[in-house]
Amino acid sequence: MRELIERYLAAYNRIDVDGMLATMHREVVFENYTAGVLSVRTQGADELRRLAENSRYLFSARRQLILAYEERDGLATAHILFDGTFAVDLPNGVRAGQSITLNGRSEFRERDGLLIYIGDYSE
């Protein structure tokens, strides 16, 4: 599963939505948790495409880097360093050109050789 995850992350880092979705099952579920609270959930490749297309303009550059990785019982966990540079001003006061760095983890499950579940967790 690691090679599949690395392909997904490489496409994510390039802001390549088609490349990201090429690694995903049509029934993929994506969830994002911030401080333990579910903030975003999509079900199916079409919903995830809409989310990815709508959010790709937020960053002029972004990168997820795997710091540690493990697989157990069909679940892969990657400890991730995320950094990005905002491309636009946001209502919360963040300005274009500002950078962000976060540590988090992502969980993945696979079905039929494609990612069926992605869960992103950050504080």
Side-chain angles (χ1 to χ4, degrees):
M1 190 174 349
R2 181 157 185 166
E3 186 275 331
L4 182 61
I5 292 166
E6 288 178 352
R7 281 186 16 232
Y8 160 70
L9 291 177
Y12 178 92
N13 292 344
R14 290 190 312 270
I15 312 178
D16 174 3
V17 174
D18 289 332
M20 290 167 48
L21 290 169
T23 66
M24 296 183 198
H25 194 280
R26 61 184 171 79
E27 296 174 6
V28 65
V29 172
F30 170 79
E31 297 176 331
N32 183 275
Y33 293 86
T34 303
V37 176
L38 178 65
S39 57
V40 175
R41 184 176 197 279
T42 65
Q43 186 154 1
D46 291 339
E47 281 186 20
L48 186 55
R49 175 180 289 283
R50 281 191 293 280
L51 175 66
E53 291 285 349
N54 289 336
S55 62
R56 70 189 226 170
Y57 302 103
L58 291 176
F59 293 95
S60 59
R62 65 184 185 190
R63 177 181 66 148
Q64 289 190 50
L65 178 66
I66 296 175
L67 302 176
Y69 179 87
E70 67 180 286
E71 275 185 53
R72 185 176 304 137
D73 300 324
L75 178 70
T77 302
H79 294 271
I80 300 282
L81 172 69
F82 171 85
D83 57 47
T85 303
F86 288 96
V88 295
D89 294 341
L90 299 179
N92 66 359
V94 172
R95 296 287 171 232
Q98 281 185 267
S99 296
I100 185 172
T101 300
L102 301 169
N103 286 301
R105 80 176 193 284
S106 294
E107 296 179 349
F108 302 90
R109 292 193 184 276
E110 177 183 20
R111 182 189 298 161
D112 303 328
L114 297 168
L115 296 173
I116 188 69
Y117 175 79
I118 303 169
D120 288 343
Y121 299 82
S122 63
E123 290 306 314

